[in-house]
Amino acid sequence: MTSILTQVDQNETLSDDVVLIVGGGPVGLLVASVLAFYGVKSLLLERNKTTTKWPKMDLTNARSMEIFRKLGLAEGLRINTTSTGVASHIPYTVLFSSGLSQEKPITQWLHPSVDEYRKKILLTNDGALPLEPYQRISQSIFEAWLKESCDSNPLIDLRYGWKVELVQDHGGDVETTAVNVDTGKRTSFISKYAVGCDGASSKVRTCLGIPLDGGPTPGYVLLVHFKSTDLTRLRKQGQFWHIFFIKDGQIGGAMIAQDEIDTWTTHLFLPLESDHSTMSSEEAVYTVLGGTGEKFNIKIDEVLVRSTYRPNIAVSRSYSALNGRVFLAGDAAHQNIPTGGYGMNMGIADAYDLGWKLAAVINNHGKKGLLDSYELERRPVAIMSVERSKAHMGTHVALGKILQQYPNAVGATSDEGRRLREEIHRHYQENDGENKDLGVEMGFRYISPINIPDEEAEPELVWEPSRYIPTTLPGARAPHVFLADGTPIFDLYGKDYTLVEFDDGIDRGSSLFMEAAKEIPVPLKHLILTGEDNARKIWGRALVLIRPDGHVSWRGNSIKDLGAARHIVAVMIGSNMVVSGTKEAFGGSGSDLLLTQKNEFVLEKMGEFQS
């Protein structure tokens, strides 16, 4: 530590209204975007000179698309995606196959296209569906698009090619030491707030000694990202988004169609003791596509990148440090296996939650309790999501029990082969929650002191991972509903807080809220809706107080006096909030290996793009 500090070439002190962000992946770029949306400046340091070349995630889920809609970015994302190959009419079909030498897949999941999903949303106005459909997009394209958006924003200072080496306390502020990878010169950045969005091996987390609890799954994955226009052979069993291949009595690999034109990614699942370096990239692709049979050759035009990764299920013990001056978001705070697509989408929700709360405090209408609520709200969601991703992986692992007696008979024309295929079909149709569990994506409730419980307790809703149950219970995401003129209620929210009032001619005291908010002042929009019987029925109360992220802070049918209104407003902005108690370690894992890593992050078989 001393040697680094003595070699600092210059100091740069940021004003208190500028947030330092470490990491220029999707989460870091989105934190900067959210802060800018609320008028707050940021400086972002990223060790690489440009955005990622790795595909990584490939689905922005419905809740994430709602967040992008709030930021005014959803349409731009969809246009960008369409221009790079995933048109809105293409369904998101997932196939399960014993190999492309077979004439047809064993079974399939028929996820609707964006157009089909949007039509379903328009026809289903009961609050149970999201406002926005999901969107397929490779992370390499997503990051480049989001960086371009940030580059054009005068409130965001992006500095690529800056590697962070040290994060520590500096007299109540945060000192972040980073080296310019071109010049080798070090700068010490002093900021009031810093956010670590620097991935699984987070330098921010390890420098501050924040424990990461969890463990890796058995085995590892060899990833090959490549170009091929050999569509006749690649789509022999039909057009697909994902295709899983059976090999040796289990799921042995998978392939992802990244753009519906010529870009693909294969994942070959390998035992930990195997040596992937003895296998060429082409051989790895052919092995995946062959499934239970012989290697299935295709014409590969170009291998773009190749690496290995080891899926890890882990959650940080804490999401903040240095008395609420440093925060973690995205993979720095939690890691999960890819099944379900929760990883980057959890990071997007982290970024928005932390972004609006930091902005409220910096803009002087939020209190420190808002920042304390970030961990209280987001960490339980991370634990739920990583456990659910493990459950999805369990669906694939269970295939081994089905095939254990006849591991190589699944492709046979015998009675046994037909029986196995029927059982596999039934298994996957009964366990089809992967990429469609709306309860996981948007059905959770934030339980924290900035949300005010109902005065009259109602029976708790039974959470179901497979569906979102429309509710305005405090802490829940308020339901999407189209109003009588076809306008989504979400589009009428204010940028900050919104008091939604279903007007029936009775004075319910809404003016008291507005007066209490004006005293602080807190930006609060009063949205008065008349004759909206359907929305009123779904929302369940005459008055509903909505946070900037669309979650409910308070609800009721009236407010009795100005004192009560002042109390509710004070609670929702984080006044007088005290957080205490011991932080419990996350106890879930995909294997028997449970680890706590604190000052370093080390896993076997982690390739370049995971470092």
Side-chain angles (χ1 to χ4, degrees), residues 483-497:
L483 301 177
D485 65 356
T487 302
I489 195 170
F490 284 8
D491 287 355
L492 299 181
Y493 291 171
K495 178 180 281 190
D496 296 280
Y497 293 93

Side-chain angles (χ1 to χ4, degrees), residues 217-222 247-248 250-253 267-279 287 308-311 604-606:
T217 61
Y220 73 107
V221 183
L222 172 59
K247 182 177 178 62
D248 299 329
Q250 60 187 346
I251 292 294
H267 298 252
L268 177 60
F269 306 143
L270 297 169
L272 198 60
E273 64 275 10
S274 67
D275 181 6
H276 65 89
S277 66
T278 62
M279 181 181 295
T287 300
T308 59
Y309 69 92
R310 191 172 182 194
E604 291 182 76
K605 306 291 188 179
M606 297 293 271

Side-chain angles (χ1 to χ4, degrees), residues 108-127:
Q108 58 187 349
W109 288 336
L110 299 175
H111 299 311
S113 68
V114 167
D115 289 345
E116 291 167 335
Y117 204 157
R118 198 181 295 282
K119 186 181 296 183
K120 183 178 179 181
I121 290 169
L122 287 169
L123 295 174
T124 310
N125 199 24
D126 61 1

